[in-house]
Each structure stands twice: as structure tokens, then as C-alpha cells.
Amino acid sequence: QVQLVESGGGLVQPGGSLTLSCAVSGSLFSGDLMSWYRQAPGKQRDLVAAITTGGITTSADSVKGRFTISRDNAKNTVYLQMNSLKPEDTAVYYCNFWRIGTEYWGKGTLVTVSS
């Protein structure tokens, strides 16, 4: 059973930074796609950024230049570095593990951007 545990969320002022972490257990950390999604109140869950085992990344236009996804395969952990945060970044952020035939989600971590 694959488990994903997110951490690092919290309250931050506009313009501030946070780093989210997602620790993966129960699976070999390779041949997969790791992603961060977010869901704001009353809105659908959207992709924020994704990274392959080999380090190829993609990100949503709304976070390009501000958010960076990375992974440490030795630690089975994926990160989301968030800079220049805006109030519209407020959401629950979810970690996602995908491999052909399987998909798992974390429980989410809340990020609130407010003064």
C-alpha cells in the first residue's frame, strides 16, 4: 500500500515563501510521475506541477517562475518550493503518485496566503 504524507503548509503573507514536502512509502520510488495539485474552496482540483523519475518537470502557467517542483529519489520525497505567494494561491495542496495502473493521493496540506 502506497502512502503519501504531505507537510509544510501554513499561513504566509503575500510575497512570502513556503516549501511543501511529500514523503512516499510503500513503493519503489521509480518509474512514476509525482505531482502536486491544489484545490481552492468551491473550485476543482487543478494540477500545479509534476516531475518524472528522471527529473523532467512541467507546471501550470499560473505558477511558472514562482513554484519549483523537485524530488529526492534517495529519500522518496517530492518537494514544491513556492515563492512570491499570492492570495489566489490559497488552497489545499495534494500530492499525487501515478504509475501505469496505479494512482494514490495524499490527504492534503492547507496553504493560506493572507496578510
Side-chain angles (χ1 to χ4, degrees):
Q1 179 73 19
V2 176
Q3 290 187 322
L4 288 72
V5 179
E6 302 102 332
S7 61
L11 173 64
V12 63
Q13 292 187 342
S17 299
L18 278 177
T19 299
L20 305 182
S21 299
C22 174
V24 181
S25 62
S27 174
L28 185 65
F29 202 53
S30 66
D32 56 76
L33 180 70
M34 293 298 303
S35 305
W36 286 99
Y37 286 74
R38 66 185 180 187
Q39 187 168 20
K43 296 190 176 181
Q44 66 182 20
R45 189 174 298 187
D46 292 325
L47 176 67
V48 176
I51 186 168
T52 66
T53 303
I56 298 172
T57 64
T58 187
S59 59
D61 288 343
S62 60
V63 305
K64 274 187 169 63
R66 300 189 299 123
F67 291 11
T68 302
I69 189 171
S70 63
R71 62 191 288 165
D72 186 333
N73 292 335
K75 295 183 178 180
N76 284 17
T77 302
V78 63
Y79 305 96
L80 185 68
Q81 173 67 44
M82 305 185 293
N83 299 325
S84 302
L85 282 159
K86 306 175 181 180
E88 51 264 43
D89 294 317
T90 294
V92 178
Y93 285 71
Y94 297 91
C95 182
N96 176 273
F97 171 100
W98 179 90
R99 185 184 290 152
I100 293 177
T102 64
E103 184 175 30
Y104 296 93
W105 292 90
K107 293 183 179 181
T109 185
L110 177 63
V111 173
T112 303
V113 185
S114 175
S115 55

